[in-house]
Amino acid sequence: MNAMLYTIMLDAGHGGADPGAAYEGRQEKDDNLRLALAVGNILENNGIHVLYTRTGDVYQTPFEKAAIANRSGADFFISFHRNSSPQANQYQGVEVLVYDKSGIKYEMAQNIVGALGELGFREIGVKERPGLVVLRRTKMPALLIETGFINSVEDNRLFDEKFNEIAQAIADAILGTLDEKTVEEPLYYRVQTGAFRNREYADRMLYQLEDQGFPAFLLQQDGMYKVQVGAYQEIGNAINMEQRLRDAGYSTLIVTK
C-alpha cells in the first residue's frame, strides 16, 4: 500500500462556544482536539495526508464540519468525541459510530474498538447512527469515535495515563485497515491560491474565497498553510477553475493530491 494515496480528515468534535460534555471542569472539546492532533501526527509520520476541521478552539456546526470534509476531497472522515451519561460513573467504555455496518468504515471501526479494548477500555462495540449529521452528510466513509465516558473516573484515568498509547492504537487500527485496501486510488487535481507560514493570512484568503463561492479549503503541509480549491479527476476541470480564480484576481498553481 502507498499510504500517500490517502487523505484523512480528522474532526475534533465540538469547540469554541460548544464545550460538548463536561465533568468536574473537564471539557470534551479539549480532549477531542488533543487526541485528534496526536493521532494526526502519527498518521502523517506514516505517510498519510492529514487534514483537520479545526486545530484551535473554534465553533463549527456539524453541517459545517461535513461541508469542510466534502470540499477537501478526503478519502475518510474521522470524528473524535467522548461519551457522557446522565449520572457520573454510570457507564464506561469505548464505541465507534457509523452510518451503517458496511464497507471499509465498518471494518476500520471494529479495528479501532478492538485496539482500544486491548488498552483496558470496556468494548461497547460499533453502532449504527444514520441520524448523525457528520455521518450522514459526509460523502466519504465516516466514523465517530467515542473515547470513553468523560464522567467516568475510570475512563478518564485510562484516557490520561495511556494517552499516547490510545493515539497510537487508533492510528495503528486506521493504518492496518488501509493496508488491506488495495484498490487503486484516483489522482485529484487541485488549484492552489496561496501557501503561508502564518495561519492568519491563510484563514483570511480561505474566508475571502468562500465568500466568493469557491469550494476552498485549508491544509497544513511541510510547515505551511496551503489554501486550495476543488478536487478534480479531470485536468480540464481544474484548468477551468484556475481560469475562474485568475479572473477573480488570484495567482494560482495546479497541484496533485
Side-chain angles (χ1 to χ4, degrees), residues 47-184:
I48 299 286
H49 182 204
V50 178
L51 305 172
Y52 300 92
T53 54
R54 69 180 179 100
T55 53
D57 188 18
V58 296
Y59 174 68
Q60 298 150 327
T61 68
F63 291 96
E64 285 172 321
K65 289 175 180 291
I68 290 166
N70 291 339
R71 285 198 303 265
S72 75
D75 301 302
F76 293 89
F77 176 88
I78 299 174
S79 188
F80 291 83
H81 285 257
R82 302 228 32 220
N83 231 327
S84 188
S85 54
Q87 293 162 4
N89 301 304
Q90 187 178 9
Y91 303 117
Q92 60 191 73
V94 294
E95 62 183 341
V96 179
L97 310 179
V98 290
Y99 181 81
D100 60 34
K101 292 183 178 180
S102 70
I104 190 168
K105 67 180 181 298
Y106 180 44
E107 186 186 332
M108 188 180 285
Q110 289 177 302
N111 290 344
I112 291 169
V113 169
L116 292 174
E118 286 177 26
L119 295 180
F121 283 103
R122 175 174 164 258
E123 293 182 36
I124 298 171
V126 180
K127 291 186 179 174
E128 292 187 350
R129 288 289 295 279
L132 286 179
V133 170
V134 293
L135 301 180
R136 189 176 80 240
R137 291 292 187 111
T138 38
K139 293 175 182 171
M140 66 290 295
L143 324 172
L144 190 153
I145 306 170
E146 297 273 16
T147 320
F149 283 77
I150 199 167
N151 61 351
S152 157
V153 169
E154 174 59 17
D155 279 357
N156 285 342
R157 184 189 67 75
L158 279 169
F159 190 93
D160 295 334
E161 289 180 9
K162 297 193 174 183
F163 180 81
N164 293 332
E165 291 169 75
I166 290 166
Q168 189 70 53
I170 292 171
D172 285 346
I174 292 167
L175 292 164
T177 311
L178 296 181
D179 253 337
E180 294 160 21
K181 188 182 181 224
T182 53
V183 180
E184 188 62 31

